[in-house]
Amino acid sequence: RMKLLLAAHDSEIVPEEITAQPGELLMRQGAPAKRVLLLTEGSVAIQVRQNDERAHTLAIVEAEEVLGEMGLFGNGQHTADVQVLDQPAQLLAVDGDQLLKAMLFDADLSIELLNLISQRCLQGNELVGLLLDGIHAAHTGDAIELERTCSMLRQRGHAIADAADRLTALLR
């Protein structure tokens, strides 16, 4: 749907086609957010770092996903690293200023982006809730609740699954 909404603004939004190679960093956590990317082919890892330590992979994202919108509409900085995985990725880069101007006159485009950001915030809130439930269960020694919570965390994969395993190890 996002691709169609962007195409409807071909006079105001001129996306740049990008081919990114495996291992290429498309966005760096903390860097200024100047554009939004639409991943049209390939897959990328969404990674976060705390205190410039090692990166933790939160998710693997595949084609037809928008990247970078949270930084553009948030504090103006990217909130995560976005790195291309095993194969080259094809993307459309949309200048942030062009996108914002188009949003002024297109409620559908604005609602689509607001919905996307809302969904990502809801997912983040759900994840924080699960982690807090897991910490509480580990602290109180509730093995049944800890296993239930960690089972849901493991479904998220990557660094979140590792966190679930570490929480489980606290009761051993």
Side-chain angles (χ1 to χ4, degrees), residues 79-163:
T79 58
D81 289 347
V82 177
Q83 187 171 35
V84 179
L85 292 176
D86 304 327
Q87 299 175 353
Q90 300 295 319
L91 305 109
L92 295 176
V94 176
D95 178 77
D97 290 336
Q98 291 177 3
L99 181 61
L100 291 170
K101 286 177 188 173
M103 288 174 64
L104 288 173
F105 302 104
D106 186 338
D108 287 338
L109 179 60
S110 298
I111 289 169
E112 186 72 18
L113 285 165
L114 283 171
N115 184 48
L116 176 63
I117 292 169
S118 292
Q119 288 301 315
R120 295 210 172 137
C121 287
L122 288 170
Q123 290 168 355
N125 288 347
E126 181 181 285
L127 179 59
V128 169
L130 286 171
L131 288 168
L132 291 173
D133 286 349
I135 291 168
H136 178 75
H139 178 74
T140 60
D142 186 343
I144 294 170
E145 178 61 19
L146 181 62
E147 185 50 43
R148 184 193 71 77
T149 302
C150 288
S151 176
M152 291 190 299
L153 287 168
R154 285 185 191 97
Q155 294 172 16
R156 306 290 178 116
H158 314 292
I160 303 305
D162 289 344

Side-chain angles (χ1 to χ4, degrees), residues 29-75:
Q29 183 177 331
K34 306 261 187 224
R35 64 185 184 177
V36 171
L37 299 175
L38 176 62
L39 180 64
T40 57
E41 289 181 36
S43 57
V44 297
I46 308 300
Q47 303 170 325
V48 294
R49 291 173 281 110
Q50 298 300 317
N51 305 319
D52 290 325
E53 297 293 324
R54 68 182 173 100
H56 300 280
T57 299
L58 295 181
I60 303 297
V61 176
E62 297 189 359
E64 300 303 317
E65 192 69 47
V66 176
L67 307 166
E69 80 292 340
M70 292 186 72
L72 186 66
F73 298 114
N75 66 358

Side-chain angles (χ1 to χ4, degrees), residues 16-27:
E16 174 189 356
E17 292 185 20
I18 297 173
T19 299
Q21 298 305 312
E24 188 173 335
L25 197 61
L26 299 170
M27 296 175 186

